[in-house]
Amino acid sequence: MFPFQSREMLTQHVSRSCSAKSCSCLQTYGPTAYDGTGRLLDRYLADGASCCPVFECNALCACSEACSNRVVGRGLALRLEVFPTGDRGWGVRALEEPVPRGTFVCEYAGEVIGLQEARRRQLSQGPGDNNYIIAVREHAGPGSVTETFVDPAAVGNVGRFLNHSCRPNLAMVPVRVHSALPRLALFACRDIDAGEELTFDYGGGGGGDGEGDGDVSRGGLGRQQATIEASRTEGLQRKACYCQAKNCSGFLPLDTSVLSS
C-alpha cells in the first residue's frame, strides 16, 4: 500500500484554477491540460492524437495548491495495491470505485539515464531478466527528437509493478513540473472499476477507450504540436503476452532501437 490523499481531499485541492491573465505558467506554455476537477482533457487521451505538451504550475507560480493545473506535482492521490496476479508476477490495482477517465493514477518513476547507459544495461541482461527500462521519444517537428530513458529497477515506485496489456486502461503522458525532464505520468484512458488491474502498453499505445492498436501514445516538447513514443522492452527475446485481451498480439512489445541507435 502507498500513501494517498482521499478523494474528498483531492476534490478540495482542485476546486480552483489559475487565470491566464495572472498565471505566468499559462501565459508561457498555453492553456491547462486539465479540467476543473484535475482530470486530463480528452484531446490528450484520444487514439493517434498529437497535442501540445503538458506543463504544470510549479514553484515559480504564485498560485496555491488548490490550482487545478497542479496534478502530477502533488503526487499519488489514489489508493493502489500491489498484488500477485498468478500468471504475470506482481500487478497493481485500484481500490477506488470508479477511477474516472482522465484521472492521474501514478508515475512511472525511476533513475533517469542516458542512451549509452541504457544500452549497457540492456546488453548485460540475461534471457530470464526483467527489463524495466522505458524509452520515451518526443517528436516536436522535423528533426527535433528528445529522448528520455527511465529505469526503475533499483530506484522506482509502484509504477514498476504495472503489467503490459494490448488493451490497457492507462495512457502515458510526459508532464513537466519545474524541470525540463518530463515525469512519465499515467492517466486513466477509460473509467476503471475498483479492483481492476491497472495496465499500460509497453509499446507506447493505449489512448482513447483502451481499444487502440498500441502504436503511438501522445505528449510533447516545446510549444509545437508533438507526439511521443514510449516503449519498454522485455529483454532481447520475444516473450509471451498473457493479457488475454481480444486484440492481444501474443507477445510483449520488442523494441531494439536502444541497441541499434
Side-chain angles (χ1 to χ4, degrees):
M1 300 291 292
F2 294 84
F4 68 98
Q5 297 172 316
S6 69
R7 182 69 62 83
E8 291 76 15
M9 291 171 63
L10 181 62
T11 301
Q12 292 172 4
H13 273 314
V14 297
S15 60
R16 291 179 292 168
S17 179
C18 273
S19 168
K21 294 181 180 180
S22 59
C23 177
S24 60
C25 297
L26 299 183
Q27 291 171 3
T28 303
Y29 303 117
T32 177
Y34 307 108
D35 65 16
T37 65
R39 295 175 191 166
L40 193 67
L41 298 176
D42 282 346
R43 67 172 178 268
Y44 291 86
L45 295 170
D47 280 330
S50 293
C51 55
C52 293
V54 178
F55 289 88
E56 293 193 357
C57 291
N58 52 57
L60 298 179
C61 184
C63 68
S64 71
E65 287 296 315
C67 176
S68 62
N69 198 38
R70 293 178 182 264
V71 177
V72 177
R74 280 197 302 268
L76 195 65
L78 299 177
R79 292 193 299 161
L80 304 179
E81 181 182 47
V82 176
F83 72 101
T85 63
D87 58 350
R88 286 165 291 112
W90 295 98
V92 183
R93 58 190 172 197
L95 301 180
E96 301 279 343
E97 185 177 7
V99 178
R101 172 182 167 91
T103 300
F104 169 60
V105 175
C106 69
E107 285 186 60
Y108 192 86
E111 184 183 2
V112 179
I113 58 179
L115 172 60
Q116 296 303 321
E117 179 62 15
R119 179 184 290 122
R120 186 194 69 78
R121 293 185 186 188
Q122 282 201 358
L123 288 173
S124 67
Q125 292 171 351
D129 295 336
N130 289 322
N131 174 42
Y132 294 100
I133 299 174
I134 190 166
V136 177
R137 298 174 184 88
E138 297 175 277
H139 303 264
S144 178
V145 180
T146 297
E147 293 184 315
T148 303
F149 302 93
V150 175
D151 185 4
V155 180
N157 68 341
V158 64
R160 64 170 287 180
F161 296 104
L162 291 168
N163 281 313
H164 165 82
S165 176
C166 297
R167 187 183 178 184
N169 50 27
L170 300 179
M172 180 173 286
V173 178
V175 177
R176 285 172 169 81
V177 185
H178 202 63
S179 174
L181 284 174
R183 295 166 69 163
L184 308 185
L186 290 151
F187 294 85
C189 56
R190 60 173 172 80
D191 293 344
I192 303 172
D193 295 329
E196 181 180 351
E197 184 179 2
L198 301 170
T199 59
F200 73 103
D201 186 343
Y202 289 0
D209 59 4
E211 299 193 39
D213 58 11
D215 288 331
V216 180
S217 61
R218 74 268 344 125
L221 177 68
R223 297 294 302 277
Q224 307 174 52
Q225 295 288 313
T227 59
I228 168 186
E229 298 172 7
S231 62
R232 172 175 150 183
T233 304
E234 288 298 334
L236 302 180
Q237 300 178 352
R238 298 304 299 270
K239 294 187 178 182
C241 177
Y242 300 104
C243 73
Q244 300 181 349
K246 292 181 180 179
N247 64 327
C248 180
S249 65
F251 293 93
L252 293 177
L254 180 63
D255 176 14
T256 60
S257 61
V258 172
L259 302 178
S260 60
S261 57

